Amino acid sequence: MDPAVARLAIVTQGAVAAGERESPDPAAAAVWGLVRAAAREHPGRFALVDVDRSAASEAALPAALATGAPEIAVRDGRLLAPRREPVAPAPLAAPAGPWRAVSGEGTVERLRLVDHPAPDDPLGPLDVRIELRAVGLNFRDVMVGLGFDVPGGLLLGSEGAGVVVEVGAAVTDLRPGERVMAAAEGAFASTVVVDRRAVVPIPAGWTFRQAAAIPVAFLTAAHGLFGVAGLRGGERVLVHAAAGGVGLAAVQLARRAGARVLATANPSKWGALTAAGVDPADIASSRDAGFAERLLDRTGGAGVDVVLNSLAGDLVDASLLLLPRGGRFVELGKTDLRDPARVAAEHPGVDYGAFNLFDLEPERLGALLADTVAGFERGELDHLPQTAWSLAQAPEALRRLRDGANVGKAVVDVPRPVGDVVLVTGGTGRLGGLVARHLVAHHGARRVTLISRRGRDAPGAADLCAELERLGAQVVVEACDVADRERLAELLGNLPDGWRPDTVVHAAGVVDDALVEAVTPERLAAQLDPKAAG
């Protein structure tokens, strides 16, 4: 084929996110950026195809190339191409200062983040203020967002993980900077105050996401199974909605205690239950009342000893039929509460109970959480499947919880606030200057270090410094090529006391425009050096 008209296909793996749970490989994504630039200069001469590891995708590669599409992703044999869509509403954005999430007008789509500064009152003797890094979402948050009157009030968030920033006078075993997790009402916020007795340090090696996914799921399951139901080894327990966070935690805890677990879930999620060790024959659908007959047959008519319920309506009535010999019915969902006396009259021997996790004393919450962590450290428990969401995607995360589409835990990352002391590489350039102005004007940065190759000799550097100082910041400008590792280390090591940055923005770069035919290895290295090496 004539090279002048040949079409070059670049095949990558993991370079683009073709689904909401995918995270691109930065190195492969850079290849797409480079080839896109070449494709703009030479329409029709380049094709980008991103594949997964499946045999079906490998077999579909010829079909993908035959489409003639300039960019295409192949996932499990399916061909996916980008398309234009109407601009979506602006993503959820946090205020510059402390904030809290609030529900909006009976719909999870109108979740808002509002200013919520810390009170001027000093902390109580046993209080701990935590700057959150990740927040676990639960179905309770969906109910709050939909306008339901739920126990514990209308604050969003019940668990989180982060860093201690302040402690009360009687707290002697925690100090600022320690990583901790807790069950805490109102935890969907930038900071939360929690009783020290309910706070547990995060084990070494755990991420904030992993820690934020633990408290509500495992504490609710543990108290429901053992504190309320008194589950014992050798008994049978039915866990409803068992592919959710509380459900999967309950499966692990019950099996650890030696109980036999029967479970219901949407059939599309049964794989998560078998992966957790539940016998496939002990799994039924949670979508209709047919699970009662199936599981009664499975147990030879004996049913179960404990039901851990999160269903409603006729599914509750069907669940009660699975206690023909009496037993304990623990209500978690609270959307269809029953009268315990009436349940006992209609189903002799059945003890019906419901509870609110935050009715427990802080000591009890802390003890349950510490016991859970010990179970992980002994290798008896495993982290739950997680779906991580950015703060901007929180409404979508709540929608998926509302629609029952989530498996395991949904966790929202809480962005770390910009600190008072910032460093901007490429700081005297156009992009670096815009960043520095924004950090000072909108995020309260007060000590700003600007690094660039020419330092104060860069065009416009003096005017930029003067503007930042008028906005209330102190400014230091240093000449340094950030690709020079030794010089950069020396500069950072010699910053004045109090100028060690808590926020770094890497805006350094080299502009050397050229058409693709003129790009040499040397020119490419010169452009990548300050970005990658820096």
Side-chain angles (χ1 to χ4, degrees):
M1 180 179 288
D2 184 355
V5 297
R7 183 166 176 254
L8 176 64
I10 309 295
V11 181
T12 60
Q13 183 174 295
V16 294
E20 61 186 23
R21 299 186 184 184
E22 295 186 18
S23 297
D25 177 346
V31 173
W32 271 55
L34 182 62
V35 176
R36 274 188 182 131
R40 297 298 184 272
E41 298 167 13
H42 300 278
R45 297 290 305 281
F46 294 91
L48 285 163
V49 183
D50 193 74
V51 299
D52 55 18
R53 298 177 182 271
S54 69
S57 293
E58 183 177 348
L61 189 56
L65 294 173
T67 66
E71 298 178 14
I72 197 162
V74 189
R75 297 294 184 266
D76 198 24
R78 295 176 60 233
L79 307 186
L80 307 170
R83 66 182 181 187
R84 292 186 178 91
E85 290 188 347
V87 176
L92 200 64
W99 53 268
R100 165 177 286 171
V102 297
S103 60
E105 303 176 19
T107 172
V108 296
E109 283 83 357
R110 296 186 182 178
L111 179 73
R112 294 179 296 120
L113 305 180
V114 299
D115 290 318
H116 184 68
D120 295 330
D121 298 337
L123 294 179
L126 289 174
D127 285 344
V128 176
R129 192 185 311 278
I130 303 171
E131 189 176 83
L132 292 159
R133 296 284 189 270
V135 174
L137 294 183
N138 298 281
F139 195 73
R140 179 190 178 279
D141 299 311
V142 174
M143 295 174 66
V144 171
L146 294 176
F148 284 87
D149 184 13
V150 298
L154 298 179
L155 295 178
L156 286 166
S158 303
E159 61 188 335
V163 176
V164 174
V165 293
E166 187 181 1
V167 298
V171 178
T172 59
D173 56 346
L174 287 178
R175 54 182 52 87
E178 289 195 58
R179 303 186 334 136
V180 296
M181 59 182 178
E185 293 180 287
F188 199 162
S190 56
T191 62
V192 68
V193 175
V194 190
D195 189 301
R196 165 63 188 95
R197 294 166 291 183
V199 177
V200 171
I202 298 175
W206 285 25
T207 66
F208 286 119
R209 291 176 179 173
Q210 288 174 321
I214 297 296
V216 166
F218 279 90
L219 270 58
T220 300
H223 185 64
L225 289 172
F226 308 114
V228 178
L231 181 69
R232 299 179 294 274
E235 291 189 310
R236 287 188 289 263
V237 56
L238 170 61
V239 179
H240 278 309
V246 174
L248 284 172
V251 168
Q252 290 194 52
L253 292 170
R255 295 184 74 241
R256 181 179 73 162
R260 174 182 167 187
V261 175
L262 294 87
T264 69
N266 187 309
S268 65
K269 303 178 183 181
W270 287 1
L273 300 183
T274 56
V278 182
D279 187 329
D282 287 341
I283 301 173
S285 174
S286 58
R287 304 183 71 173
D288 61 72
F291 65 79
E293 181 178 357
R294 173 184 171 93
L295 297 180
L296 278 172
D297 288 344
R298 176 64 178 158
T299 58
V304 298
D305 302 286
V306 174
V307 173
L308 203 62
N309 182 62
S310 52
L311 306 181
D314 62 341
L315 304 183
V316 174
D317 299 317
S319 301
L320 287 165
L321 297 177
L322 282 161
L323 297 168
R325 301 171 293 113
R328 291 88 76 196
F329 189 101
V330 182
E331 177 58 65
L332 301 181
K334 304 183 186 69
T335 58
D336 185 11
L337 290 172
R338 304 295 176 93
D339 176 17
R342 182 171 180 177
V343 170
E346 296 176 351
H347 302 273
V350 174
D351 184 9
Y352 177 96
F355 69 93
N356 173 29
L357 186 63
F358 290 102
D359 286 341
L360 301 181
E361 294 295 324
E363 294 94 337
R364 179 61 178 153
L365 290 174
L368 286 170
L369 190 51
D371 179 68
T372 298
V373 169
F376 276 92
E377 293 181 327
R378 291 192 298 267
E380 300 168 354
L381 299 173
D382 295 318
H383 286 287
L384 303 175
Q386 296 170 29
T387 305
W389 303 84
S390 70
L391 186 61
Q393 297 171 312
E396 174 63 19
L398 288 171
R399 276 195 293 270
R400 287 183 63 83
L401 281 177
R402 178 196 64 192
D403 297 340
N406 198 70
V407 173
K409 287 291 297 188
V411 179
V412 173
D413 292 327
V414 177
R416 182 177 181 180
V418 174
D420 292 337
V421 188
V422 303
L423 181 147
V424 183
T425 70
T428 59
R430 181 171 178 80
L431 178 58
L434 290 171
V435 168
R437 291 183 184 94
H438 182 77
L439 293 175
V440 173
H442 299 285
H443 292 277
R446 288 298 173 259
R447 296 180 182 181
V448 180
T449 299
L450 305 177
I451 296 177
S452 66
R453 282 172 296 161
R454 298 178 61 182
R456 287 190 174 274
D457 293 334
D463 291 340
L464 174 61
C465 291
E467 181 180 351
L468 296 177
E469 288 167 353
R470 286 195 300 272
L471 291 170
Q474 297 174 273
V475 186
V476 168
V477 181
E478 296 284 355
C480 177
D481 183 349
V482 296
D484 185 339
R485 186 182 184 89
E486 292 185 2
R487 169 69 182 118
L488 182 60
E490 179 186 4
L491 186 154
L492 295 175
N494 291 328
L495 287 174
D497 290 343
W499 284 75
R500 180 180 177 86
D502 47 34
T503 299
V504 175
V505 178
H506 184 42
V510 170
V511 177
D512 186 11
D513 294 338
L515 297 178
V516 66
E517 294 93 338
V519 175
T520 64
E522 293 75 21
R523 296 182 75 169
L524 191 60
Q527 295 178 59
L528 289 178
D529 208 28
K531 280 300 181 190

